Amino acid sequence: MTAVTASENTDMTARTATARSAVQPRPVARPLLYAALVLCALLTLLPFVWGISGSLRSLDEIRSDPGSLLPHHVTLDNFTRLFRTQGFGRFMVNSIVVAAMVVVGNIVAASAAGYALAKLEFAGRRLAFGAVMAAMMVPFTAVFVPQFVLTVDMGLADTLAGIALPSLAMPMSVFIMRQYASSIPDELLEAARIDGAGEFRIFFRIFLPLAGPAVATITIMSFLNSWNYFIWPLIVAQSTSSYTLPVGLAATSQAAAHVTDYGLMLAGAVVVMLPVLVLFLFLQRYFVQGIAGTGMR
């Protein structure tokens, strides 16, 4: 009996070693893997480096040498003119308000919907989740006109609420929260119900604290979607008082004779990009955990 056990242990050890050797890259392949990753990272960073470089160059230098990655003469004139642009502060405030409404709306709606779809038994649950999946596959251009007509009929045209309305509950946010909620053990919620906790208490006191990574993921995705969006605000915002930052920068970057001021546009692009980078740096750990958590079940 002991011999059989020892044989089984030896066989199991050999299988484990074989599996580890298959997963770990060979010493020769490791430098090639690192080189490929560095190359991909450089290609990804190239547009950002060019944009930052262009924002520190004069318009004449950009036109004379558009492919240069390093400015010959560093200048902050583009940023100075950007912050002095009429309405820039208003555009920034509008973007912040719209992004805040979209983030809060997605957190509230997606958390409630995801919890219900994953942990509550009700008629039509599978059908509701199928509708969420189907909505993820519909391109925005297919529902653009109906959404605009609905926004006008509700009297929300040329308002910040009308700009934020289509993104208040994105199907992707509901899907992420539902998948993360599925990874939370049912026994934990059942124990709370046995102790007399109601569904609202379970949702706010147990589920939401555990769903922090999923909430961070939804925050980043919804903020990025609303902060950078251009087409919908351009159509809904019919006056400069409702322009968001991307629309306002596009409207004010046209110089005399309809010549695009590329230095001003690149400076604006850098300003628009900074809040997204700062938010991701603060929430990147939770973002990775949230994405990983959606595949636990």
Side-chain angles (χ1 to χ4, degrees), residues 151-224:
T151 302
V152 173
D153 291 341
M154 295 174 63
L156 297 178
D158 200 22
T159 63
L160 300 183
I163 296 175
L165 180 62
S167 302
L168 289 181
M170 296 187 298
M172 178 59 72
S173 300
V174 177
F175 174 77
I176 291 175
M177 187 60 70
R178 187 264 180 189
Q179 293 299 101
Y180 196 89
S182 299
S183 66
I184 297 177
D186 295 333
E187 293 78 7
L188 181 63
L189 306 183
E190 289 296 333
R193 294 189 181 100
I194 293 174
D195 290 339
E199 292 300 331
F200 283 100
R201 186 177 180 183
I202 294 174
F203 177 76
F204 288 105
R205 300 293 297 273
I206 299 178
F207 173 70
L208 281 184
L210 293 176
V215 171
T217 303
I218 292 173
T219 300
I220 293 177
M221 295 181 62
S222 57
F223 180 84
L224 182 63

